[in-house]
Amino acid sequence: MPLMNVFDIAGSGMNAQSLRLNTTASNMANADAASSSINQTYRSRQPVFQAVMEDAAGQYRGVGRSTDPNAIAKVRVLGVVESKAPVRSIHDPSHPLADAKGFVHYPNVNAVEEMANMISASRSYQSNVEVFNASKQMMLRTLTLGQ
Amino acid sequence: MAINIDTALGIYPHTLRLRAARAEILAANLANSDTPNFKARDLDFQAALARSLAGTLGDSLTLAATRAGHMDGENAQLGGVVRYRNPMQPSIDGNTVETEVEQAEFARNAMHYQATLTFLGGRIKTLMTALRGD
């Protein structure tokens, strides 16, 4: 029954988007976490999404694009990568965490990017919820067919 | 006159199945709206319905393979009727899902599904009336 798969698909989408919201929250929370060493400074974390193709029976059919026309695509989080952007190093010898040269290192979190990410993730989550609800309605009406 | 359930229900079982399949494809598009390089797909409904009515569109059941050389008949299923969507504004990351378009199509598809259910319910009621004869 294809409609049953819709719940899995929307669920995978909600899962991925909520993880994206989590990383955004983590980035925002740590945006000003000072450190005395570049290596120990928090780096902005971003999830990487990947489409996973499965056939109607739920069998794995590869990732990305599939040649199988029946394959349906769920989404999964391939991993979380740390941003390669340079950390912000500010000269502030009076800071308790200043290093030997008087620099304090702040994470490479871009607050504007994170806000845009948050709104995008929240909207995508909502559209998955709508798909879920609409499919539920379709399912329930199908169950009462002929009554 | 023999009562044949298949002909009594008309086109609606076919459309219902295809509407459900299309809901799945559109839901996959929406779930992957932020996946890099994902290409949005849609069901060519007219072609799928024509093939469904002609009986050349198999369902998701695969054929029994009793020997190594047997093919699983995949191409006889939704092959050729699922197409990639032409995006109006493809993203820079190679994603061609346009959330608004997909949402609109999903809502439309859900409405058609409900309409088909209503028609199918009417057919079933008609059959029940004929069977009861009262």
Side-chain angles (χ1 to χ4, degrees):
Chain A
M1 184 74 193
L3 266 182
M4 280 298 187
N5 287 329
V6 177
F7 297 123
D8 288 343
I9 297 166
S12 77
M14 283 190 267
N15 203 8
Q17 298 300 341
S18 70
L19 191 133
R20 189 170 162 209
L21 271 177
N22 270 339
T23 57
T24 302
S26 160
N27 292 343
M28 294 293 271
N30 287 292
D32 290 313
S35 161
S36 51
S37 151
I38 288 185
N39 293 329
Q40 285 173 5
T41 311
Y42 178 88
R43 303 285 205 285
S44 168
R45 302 172 79 88
Q46 306 292 343
V48 180
F49 291 168
Q50 188 182 43
V52 186
M53 310 305 273
E54 284 180 4
D55 66 12
Q59 294 293 309
Y60 177 76
R61 291 285 174 150
V63 294
R65 297 170 80 164
S66 171
T67 49
D68 179 1
N70 284 303
I72 49 120
K74 288 183 193 169
V75 60
R76 77 166 175 203
V77 180
L78 188 61
V80 178
V81 295
E82 286 190 333
S83 167
K84 295 274 195 294
V87 300
R88 282 180 295 136
S89 298
I90 289 164
H91 189 68
D92 185 5
S94 64
H95 197 286
L97 285 172
D99 63 11
K101 290 177 181 165
F103 280 99
V104 190
H105 308 285
Y106 289 98
N108 55 359
V109 174
N110 185 332
V112 180
E113 271 177 22
E114 295 303 332
M115 287 303 285
N117 243 331
M118 186 186 80
I119 292 166
S120 171
S122 152
R123 290 280 181 273
S124 299
Y125 190 94
Q126 282 171 20
S127 69
N128 276 303
V129 171
E130 272 168 42
V131 166
F132 196 96
N133 281 335
S135 308
K136 197 179 99 184
Q137 290 249 319
M138 286 156 76
M139 257 335 236
L140 288 176
R141 275 213 56 194
T142 313
L143 287 174
T144 59
L145 184 63
Q147 284 177 13
Chain B
M1 187 193 81
I3 292 180
N4 186 334
I5 298 285
D6 274 351
T7 52
L9 296 181
I11 197 175
Y12 302 116
H14 296 274
T15 47
L16 199 65
R17 186 164 81 82
L18 291 174
R19 289 285 170 207
R22 186 163 181 239
E24 192 179 72
I25 295 168
L26 296 176
N29 288 346
L30 279 167
N32 282 289
S33 60
D34 296 312
T35 308
N37 283 320
F38 183 83
K39 309 293 180 207
R41 302 184 307 169
D42 199 357
L43 187 68
D44 184 347
F45 196 83
Q46 206 166 6
L49 186 60
R51 283 184 49 189
S52 182
L53 288 173
T56 56
L57 191 74
D59 52 21
S60 297
L61 301 171
T62 45
L63 299 173
T66 50
R67 288 184 188 208
H70 284 176
M71 298 178 202
D72 60 5
E74 243 167 38
N75 295 332
Q77 295 170 31
L78 291 175
V81 292
V82 177
R83 309 251 162 92
Y84 288 109
R85 199 186 288 296
N86 285 327
M88 280 184 282
Q89 289 180 312
S91 311
I92 203 159
D93 64 358
N95 185 307
T96 62
V97 179
E98 285 158 325
T99 312
E100 305 77 22
V101 175
E102 302 299 336
Q103 272 176 334
E105 286 300 324
F106 189 88
R108 195 207 304 262
N109 189 58
M111 283 309 297
H112 283 301
Y113 185 91
Q114 303 255 14
T116 307
L117 272 182
T118 309
F119 294 140
L120 196 53
R123 289 289 178 107
I124 291 170
K125 279 205 177 71
T126 312
L127 269 183
M128 295 295 274
T129 311
L131 287 170
R132 272 201 296 266
D134 50 23

